Amino acid sequence: MSTFVLLTITGLGLGAMYFLIASGLSLIYGLMGVLNFAHGALLTVGAYATWWMSTQVGGGSGTKLIVAAIFGIAVGAVLAALVELVLIRPLYLRPIEQVLVTVGLALALNALIEAIWGFDARPFPVPAWMIDTTSILGASIPNDRFVEIAAAGLVLVGLTAFLRYTRYGLIIRAGVENRAMVTALGIDVRKAFTLVFALGGLAAALAGVLSGVYFGTIDPSRGTSLLIFAFIVVVIGGFGSIGGTAIAAVAVGLLQQYANYYASSGLGDLAVVLLLAIVLLIKPEGLSPKVAH
């Protein structure tokens, strides 16, 4: 029983990270039709910005991580907004060029990080209380798992509320349905779309911070490896559906953990790919292929 509890909560923590990066992908594609292959690089940038800032500030480990995380998340949001303004905005009607530009940007950002800090993994600043464990039904659960799950829950609620109840959320949804009409009313949809990119970058950078806490280290390939599973989550959940993405992230995280333990180590990734194939055969549009309304 204790093993099952440990696997379940660990899987939920992993699923939380998948959701954080996948939510940005789903939001950007669902609202704007842009496949941002540089999204994983934003995760890596956020993680490294957090790590770098933690080496520059003093104080206790908890305070240091909070200050560094705020900086790293801000860097991810600002960088994503700049990507939209400079690279994506001129290419909204040119999807092939969008893919080429974002893939090239991802390669360039990863190469830049490797040139500055090298290929070796860096130890991430994790407070002692996150490393400590809490006993649940006989299972010793690292406390950082609860932080990751709580962060993903807050982002899910926040994004849903933003799209449904805020002025910018309404503008974004209206702009997706009929951009010309919204523009004719004197509303600058471009600002709202830049905000969407910034929110996606914020979520990706937060995933980078939490991945550093989860694994204890960061490395230049972190964003690329997590992006693969984030795309799988988005396809299973349905492009543009925040709720579907959350459900798919939980399913993928739990399936990986259960398959790796109960079947054989390494089979978790294969099980996820099989789940993707089954979903595509049965329901190609995903679990819930609509933007949250």
Side-chain angles (χ1 to χ4, degrees), residues 105-121:
L105 179 62
L107 295 173
L109 288 174
N110 283 343
L112 180 61
I113 289 174
E114 291 169 356
I116 296 173
W117 289 297
F119 297 88
D120 296 335

Side-chain angles (χ1 to χ4, degrees), residues 49-179:
T50 301
W51 166 79
W52 177 83
M53 179 54 70
S54 71
T55 65
Q56 307 299 311
V57 298
S61 57
T63 303
K64 184 182 296 187
L65 179 60
I66 291 174
V67 173
I70 292 173
F71 175 77
I73 291 170
V75 168
V78 171
L79 180 58
L82 290 175
V83 169
E84 194 277 337
L85 286 169
V86 178
L87 299 177
I88 301 300
R89 183 170 291 185
L91 302 175
Y92 273 122
L93 300 179
R94 299 158 65 183
I96 301 299
E97 287 85 346
Q98 289 173 8
V99 171
L100 294 175
V101 165
T102 55
V103 169
L105 179 62
L107 295 173
L109 288 174
N110 283 343
L112 180 61
I113 289 174
E114 291 169 356
I116 296 173
W117 289 297
F119 297 88
D120 296 335
R122 303 276 180 166
F124 201 75
V126 182
W129 68 268
M130 284 191 179
I131 300 175
D132 292 340
T133 60
T134 298
S135 181
I136 298 180
L137 298 177
S140 297
I141 312 296
N143 292 329
D144 68 276
R145 306 299 190 258
F146 303 111
V147 175
E148 290 141 11
I149 295 169
L154 289 174
V155 169
L156 172 61
V157 173
L159 286 177
T160 303
F162 169 76
L163 290 173
R164 289 183 177 177
Y165 305 118
T166 69
R167 179 175 179 271
Y168 266 107
L170 294 174
I171 291 173
I172 291 167
R173 287 160 51 197
V176 171
E177 296 296 331
N178 194 328
R179 182 170 181 173

Side-chain angles (χ1 to χ4, degrees), residues 12 24 64 80 117 127 132-133 151 156 161 187 202 210 212 231 246 256 263:
L12 290 174
K64 184 182 296 187
W117 289 297
D132 292 340
T133 60
L156 172 61
I187 299 173
L202 184 151
L210 295 179
F231 268 116
Q256 270 189 307

Side-chain angles (χ1 to χ4, degrees), residues 14 17-18 21 39-48 110 113-114 119-124 204-205 207-230:
L14 187 61
M17 281 192 296
Y18 290 157
I21 183 171
H39 206 67
L42 295 175
L43 181 151
T44 305
V45 168
Y48 269 86
N110 283 343
I113 289 174
E114 291 169 356
F119 297 88
D120 296 335
R122 303 276 180 166
F124 201 75
V209 174
L210 295 179
S211 72
V213 173
Y214 185 96
F215 296 106
T217 62
I218 57 171
D219 62 78
S221 64
R222 177 65 49 77
T224 302
S225 60
L226 289 178
L227 183 66
I228 295 171
F229 291 103

Side-chain angles (χ1 to χ4, degrees), residues 174-276:
V176 171
E177 296 296 331
N178 194 328
R179 182 170 181 173
M181 182 191 70
V182 176
T183 303
L185 294 174
I187 299 173
D188 190 353
V189 180
R190 295 176 301 176
K191 292 181 180 179
F193 284 180
T194 302
L195 178 59
V196 170
F197 254 82
L199 289 174
L202 184 151
L206 177 58
V209 174
L210 295 179
S211 72
V213 173
Y214 185 96
F215 296 106
T217 62
I218 57 171
D219 62 78
S221 64
R222 177 65 49 77
T224 302
S225 60
L226 289 178
L227 183 66
I228 295 171
F229 291 103
F231 268 116
I232 292 174
V233 165
V234 171
V235 173
I236 293 175
F239 278 105
S241 171
I242 300 300
T245 298
I247 295 171
V250 170
V252 168
L254 291 175
L255 180 60
Q256 270 189 307
Q257 293 298 312
Y258 293 152
N260 281 333
Y261 183 83
Y262 291 113
S264 176
S265 178
L267 284 183
D269 293 353
L270 176 60
V272 170
V273 173
L274 290 176
L275 174 63
L276 173 63

